[in-house]
Amino acid sequence: MPVLPGAEPYRHEGGEVGVLLCHGFTGSPQSLRPWAEHLAGHGLTVSLPLLPGHGTRWEDMQLTGWPDWYAEVDRELHALRARCSRVFVAGLSMGGALALRLAARHGDAIGGVVVVNPANKVHGLSAYALPVARHLVRTTRGIASDIAKPGSVEIGYDRVPLHAAHSLRAFFRVVDRELPQVTQPLLLLRSPQDHVVPPADSARVLSRVSSTDVTELLLEQSYHVATLDHDADRIFQESLAFIGRLAPGVGVGNEGTAAGG
């Protein structure tokens, strides 16, 4: 199936510091594209892959699971490490969970982690029904475009395939067990008004990681997809400053025009 217009992956060849950005469940690179372009414009090498089953139609996602999504970002990480001397990982929602698992498994190969409204659990009674319900009902209502900013729209599926949701639940359990292995500096940005991921998920992440360099910032003006919302510029600036603190020289005097593809 052709990729939806705007949902294409994005890559930019920049300097020796690289950033891997991971999008969320049923979403696409479009939700992180402005963030990726901001980092690229300040001289970083950026990779923003399209996860398998995403960015086309929900029926394609029904055939994928968390091992497929994780394998894609793991491949991109290896490619970045071959190209860059320092690599950082970042993500939104489920993409935050993907970034945290990369950090847990790759240790010192990753210089730091940035997560925005990271997801850690499938909540509600429906989560317990997933093992059976996925065989009876194919989809439930979508979760895309939880955005406060008028006119801002996320490219994502309007339905959630339940086979994929069941796999997501299993993935969150895997990541939660591995969170104590996360030791890298961590920047966590969260929206108090998030209609997709509750504050408990961020609190759980913060309570379980072993990182000692931890910063939590609130995005008061945004909903779940904060990277396309009122606080987007703050996310871009804070993440660049975080990376610059850990990799001195980043973003200083090297702002330019980024090209993607």
Side-chain angles (χ1 to χ4, degrees):
M1 289 294 296
V3 174
L4 295 169
E8 303 86 0
Y10 172 89
R11 292 174 182 83
H12 173 75
E13 289 291 328
E16 286 295 310
V17 176
V19 183
L20 171 59
L21 296 171
C22 309
H23 70 75
F25 183 71
T26 75
S28 77
Q30 176 260 354
S31 62
L32 302 184
R33 180 74 177 246
W35 190 7
E37 291 177 341
H38 182 86
L39 297 173
H42 285 81
L44 282 76
T45 292
V46 180
S47 176
L48 171 52
L50 173 64
L51 300 178
H54 292 70
T56 54
R57 56 178 191 161
W58 69 259
E59 289 88 347
D60 296 327
M61 191 175 179
Q62 187 83 321
L63 305 175
T64 66
W66 78 258
D68 305 302
W69 313 328
Y70 181 76
E72 181 67 22
V73 296
D74 191 66
R75 279 192 296 269
E76 291 292 328
L77 177 65
H78 281 282
L80 271 181
R81 288 181 59 197
R83 164 72 176 79
C84 301
S85 59
R86 296 289 301 279
V87 175
F88 294 80
V89 293
L92 166 70
S93 194
M94 178 190 75
L98 289 168
L100 287 164
R101 184 164 202 249
L102 288 171
R105 294 179 66 86
H106 290 277
D108 292 341
I110 292 174
V113 186
V114 182
V115 291
V116 178
N117 293 323
N120 178 259
K121 184 179 180 180
V122 176
H123 295 268
L125 293 175
S126 59
Y128 297 97
L130 274 174
V132 174
R134 66 194 176 106
H135 297 293
L136 305 174
V137 182
R138 298 183 75 192
T139 67
T140 187
R141 62 184 179 86
I143 56 173
S145 275
D146 184 36
I147 302 171
K149 185 178 181 180
S152 186
V153 178
E154 179 189 18
I155 296 176
Y157 296 147
D158 60 3
R159 305 297 298 173
V160 173
L162 292 191
H163 277 299
H166 181 255
S167 184
L168 177 69
R169 184 184 180 217
F171 177 59
F172 286 155
R173 289 175 168 177
V174 169
V175 175
D176 191 68
R177 290 194 299 268
E178 295 179 347
L179 283 176
Q181 299 172 42
V182 177
T183 60
Q184 298 90 340
L186 172 65
L187 172 61
L188 185 149
L189 305 102
R190 67 174 182 89
S191 305
Q193 297 186 77
D194 186 328
H195 306 99
V196 177
V197 174
D201 286 34
S202 287
R204 177 73 175 180
V205 169
L206 292 172
S207 71
R208 287 187 58 75
V209 297
S210 299
S211 307
T212 55
D213 180 346
V214 177
T215 304
E216 179 185 15
L217 298 175
L218 298 184
L219 306 172
E220 299 281 2
Q221 307 302 316
S222 300
Y223 294 164
H224 183 63
V225 191
T227 49
L228 297 177
D229 216 326
H230 293 295
D231 292 295
D233 285 343
R234 186 178 183 210
I235 295 170
F236 306 162
Q237 293 162 11
E238 293 286 356
S239 59
L240 183 65
F242 172 79
I243 294 169
R245 173 168 65 83
L246 299 168
V250 167
V252 179
N254 58 354
E255 185 171 0
T257 301

